[in-house]
Amino acid sequence: MIRPLFDRVLIERTEEPTQTKSGLFLPETAKEKPAEGIVRAVGNGRVSGDGDLKPLTVAVGDRVLFGKYAGTEIKVDGEERLILREDDILGIIEN
């Protein structure tokens, strides 16, 4: 497992549906990478200008929405993950 540093967050992308609402099945090449995922690990926090450590707003287990091209893709134990800064997260999805 990877523990992100400072204000970085480790995200597991959620799967996009393979079928449209009208019933058509999408091939792998036509699917876009989802901009939604689940937070799997968070860093300690952001260091402010005066040197204080401010905790992150997101927590492990939160469903989040992020920018389409945000972060860096990595492989952890053979599975694709995304590391990005908390600033790249657009919002927390609440049920």
Side-chain angles (χ1 to χ4, degrees):
M1 181 52 112
I2 292 179
R3 184 175 53 100
L5 298 176
F6 302 109
D7 65 337
R8 289 181 176 82
V9 179
L10 182 69
I11 304 282
E12 177 183 348
R13 289 183 193 259
T14 55
E15 291 295 320
E16 283 287 307
T18 58
Q19 188 175 9
T20 64
K21 291 181 182 180
S22 62
L24 297 174
F25 285 93
L26 297 172
E28 278 297 313
T29 56
K31 291 196 306 187
E32 290 187 19
K33 289 191 177 183
E36 184 180 312
I38 299 172
V39 176
R40 293 299 178 201
V42 296
N44 294 333
R46 177 180 302 125
V47 178
S48 66
D50 57 2
D52 291 336
L53 190 65
K54 300 198 180 223
L56 300 181
T57 305
V58 296
V60 173
D62 284 347
R63 275 184 53 212
V64 295
L65 187 65
F66 50 87
K68 188 174 183 178
Y69 300 106
T72 302
E73 292 182 354
I74 61 168
K75 283 203 176 203
V76 177
D77 298 328
E79 297 182 17
E80 286 190 20
R81 297 288 188 261
L82 185 68
I83 289 186
L84 48 88
R85 291 187 177 272
E86 187 183 39
D87 290 345
D88 293 330
I89 295 174
L90 304 173
I92 298 172
I93 300 169
E94 297 179 350
N95 295 343

